[in-house]
Amino acid sequence: MALPEITQLELGTFRFPDPELQHRRGVVMGYVIRHRGGIFLFDTGLGFGNKEIEEAYHPDPRVIGEVLEEAGFSLDDVTAVANCHLHADHAGQNSAFPDRSIYVQAAEWELAHTTDHTILEWIDFPNARYVPLAGDHEPFDGFRIVATPGHTKGHQSLVVETADGPVILAGQAVYTVEEWAGTPDELEGRSSAPDQGAYDGSLDRLRELGPERVFFGHDRRSWVRLQS
Ligand SMILES: [Zn+2]
Ligand SMILES: [Zn+2]
């Protein structure tokens, strides 16, 4: 099998609190990247049993260990984790990965621990081994974590070099295929981003990488470059 290999995981669904969006159901996607440097998991999905989250989002989370198993992996196979950001829908099952490096931007860590940003009991757990990053980081050759602030101050995306060119796992730096393509519909992330300037800058930066393919944290579909 040719490496790196990227496997898409559906981690759960939720209802949008915005009444205008309640005819659509949100989805949370995660990714396994099998790389010669190890097996990397990008996002752990929604957690379980928080009343506030349940009332606001009516989530239907899936157990990360079961999702991984369906995709042919075990929890123990995962050598390292990264969260695109620490909101409860992306980092909710981090505790399934004790003693594993979990890469997160220091700015995001700070936000989570000083403001009402996430469900902290899903983030802080015994034997948690967070690796705080100050911007970009390349854990293995051809596998980069890039800072993409905008949706949150410490948002990050992954860039994986493949034989066909770079593949971007955007997380929530951009919401959908349409938003990436510059023709956003009602489901888009820019208008609710606390820092729209940073959001635009991050999106420009990702587009400038000239990716062959882009995967998203809240869209089952991926964007693929048209062959010319
Ligand atoms: Zn978020
Ligand atoms: Zn999200």
Side-chain angles (χ1 to χ4, degrees):
M1 169 209 329
L3 296 183
E5 177 199 56
I6 297 171
T7 305
Q8 191 175 42
L9 309 173
E10 182 163 329
L11 301 178
T13 61
F14 64 92
R15 191 173 89 177
F16 293 105
D18 180 349
E20 312 241 302
L21 291 175
Q22 285 188 0
H23 61 291
R24 300 177 73 155
R25 195 153 170 90
V27 66
V28 181
M29 306 303 294
Y31 297 88
V32 176
I33 304 95
R34 194 202 290 259
H35 194 275
R36 57 184 185 280
I39 293 180
F40 210 93
L41 175 67
F42 191 41
D43 282 349
T44 62
L46 292 145
F48 290 86
N50 181 276
K51 219 169 152 247
E52 227 177 287
I53 294 285
E54 273 167 16
E55 279 167 10
Y57 296 99
H58 301 261
D60 184 14
R62 303 187 61 211
V63 177
I64 187 68
E66 292 175 9
V67 178
L68 282 169
E69 215 148 285
E70 273 174 31
F73 301 95
S74 73
L75 287 172
D76 288 341
D77 288 339
V78 174
T79 50
V81 179
N83 297 117
C84 66
H85 62 297
L86 291 177
H87 277 164
D89 50 333
H90 300 271
Q93 294 181 60
N94 279 11
S95 65
F97 303 95
D99 299 312
R100 246 64 59 83
S101 294
I102 303 178
Y103 293 96
V104 65
Q105 292 292 317
E108 188 70 14
W109 178 263
E110 167 88 16
L111 211 51
H113 290 85
T114 55
T115 64
D116 183 15
H117 187 70
T118 189
I119 307 301
L120 265 190
E121 58 262 38
W122 291 349
I123 306 296
D124 295 333
F125 56 91
N127 301 322
R129 215 198 283 158
Y130 285 95
V131 182
L133 304 176
D136 297 359
H137 179 66
E138 188 162 7
F140 335 114
D141 263 2
F143 184 101
R144 277 192 299 147
I145 299 170
V146 297
T148 48
H151 171 66
T152 65
K153 202 174 165 195
H155 193 284
Q156 58 187 10
S157 305
L158 300 184
V159 182
V160 182
E161 296 299 335
T162 74
D164 299 325
V167 173
I168 290 175
L169 290 84
Q172 201 170 336
V174 50
Y175 214 87
T176 59
V177 169
E178 286 78 13
E179 189 175 25
W180 171 265
T183 52
D185 66 6
E186 61 196 351
L187 260 196
E188 47 78 42
R190 184 179 189 276
S191 60
S192 61
D195 187 340
Q196 293 182 345
Y199 192 92
D200 293 344
S202 293
L203 202 38
D204 284 349
R205 191 176 169 216
L206 293 178
R207 287 187 179 126
E208 278 162 18
L209 295 172
E212 281 303 307
R213 189 165 190 160
V214 184
F215 291 99
F216 306 90
H218 286 297
D219 195 338
R220 292 182 181 89
R221 301 162 303 159
S222 59
W223 176 90
V224 182
R225 170 185 295 284
L226 284 178
Q227 301 302 320
S228 52

